[in-house]
Amino acid sequence: MQKVAEHIVSEINTSRIVDYLLGVFDQLPTKNSIQKAIKSGGIRINDQACTTAKIPAPGDRIGYYSTKSRIKPYSLEIEIVYEDEHLLIANKPPGLPTSGNYFRTLEAALAHSHPLKFSETNLYSPRPAHRLDNLTSGLVIAAKTSKALFQTGQLFQKGKVHKTYNALVMGKTPNEGQWKSVINGKPAITAFKKLKEVRSLKNDQLTLLELSPKTGRTHQLRIHCSEAGFPIYGDPIYAKQTIKNKGLFLSAIRLVFTHPVTLVELDVSINLPSKFINRMKNEQNRWERRNGNSKSNSTAP
């Protein structure tokens, strides 16, 4: 087994480990995935196997170990935005799971396009060090070595990877601010900034936001936008209005972090996906045609 990430319990806790670990390891986003990891020996406390009844204590070192070895390759072209001998950064398409018990995943696609010569230090293929929701597109870091996988996981655990997302939301938002709430029993904070707004027949207005999560809770951005009254366009769970065959308008467009091996500062970004641009243009044009207004009421980025 290879250690992927480690977490140290800092406060007194009364929850069993399955509940405690919700939101701790990006690779284990649900109770079911945590339970499976515990039962397979992938969760160890102070280097010892544990059960689902264990209650972590202050000072405990909880390690997540990957028990997976070779991934069955899946032929799918993936854009690689950055790559070196230790890791790569891929642009995950929407609708593609990062990893998991599926045949068609980003991890399987990387196993096809980037097979590695397995060794004591190298993995069989690049392994995602964190995850994006299935419906969310954008940047994902995948490690090529055990060292890079563990150290990148540590960066995420310590909040040292700064992520920026673009989201197209329903409604007219404030210019900027911060949303705070409790998700899965833990504090969640998201900073937001308005980039552009357009008129819309069904929603009156759509707003393009820049989102910067300060914490990493499951569905945090989707929940915060919905709680604030501005659900993300195309969200099948948190938006009352669904848009068929358009997908979720949420994309991870920038990662800033110190390379875990070379210690070089990396700032990697992608452009706003074209579907965002096309949707905003179409919504504005339809509104203008209906209202007989040829002047754009949108604000420039």
Side-chain angles (χ1 to χ4, degrees), residues 135-247:
L135 300 179
T136 304
S137 66
L139 300 176
V140 175
I141 305 171
K144 295 182 178 181
T145 68
S146 301
K147 180 179 180 180
L149 183 62
F150 174 71
Q151 293 185 334
T152 303
Q154 290 294 93
L155 292 179
F156 277 98
Q157 294 303 318
K158 295 176 181 178
K160 293 186 177 181
V161 179
H162 302 286
K163 297 173 283 186
T164 303
Y165 294 73
N166 281 153
L168 186 62
V169 303
M170 302 176 186
K172 181 182 177 67
T173 72
N175 288 333
E176 59 184 340
Q178 200 172 74
W179 293 317
K180 299 180 181 180
S181 68
V182 175
I183 298 176
N184 292 327
K186 298 180 181 180
I189 304 172
T190 301
F192 69 91
K193 179 181 179 182
K194 179 190 294 186
L195 300 179
K196 184 175 183 177
E197 61 186 35
V198 297
R199 300 307 300 264
S200 170
L201 289 178
K202 290 186 177 181
N203 303 283
D204 188 42
Q205 285 187 306
L206 296 177
T207 303
L208 178 65
L209 292 179
E210 177 182 282
L211 300 176
S212 302
K214 307 304 179 184
T215 52
R217 313 304 176 209
T218 301
H219 288 189
Q220 176 176 316
L221 302 182
R222 298 165 67 180
I223 291 172
H224 273 170
C225 288
S226 179
E227 287 179 342
F230 312 108
I232 297 176
Y233 195 75
D235 194 324
I237 300 176
Y238 302 103
K240 294 181 180 179
Q241 180 187 114
T242 59
I243 295 86
K244 291 183 179 180
N245 303 319
K246 301 299 180 182

Side-chain angles (χ1 to χ4, degrees), residues 99-116:
S99 56
N101 296 321
Y102 311 96
F103 177 51
R104 183 180 180 273
T105 65
L106 173 64
E107 186 174 11
L110 293 176
H112 178 267
S113 62
H114 289 71
L116 301 173

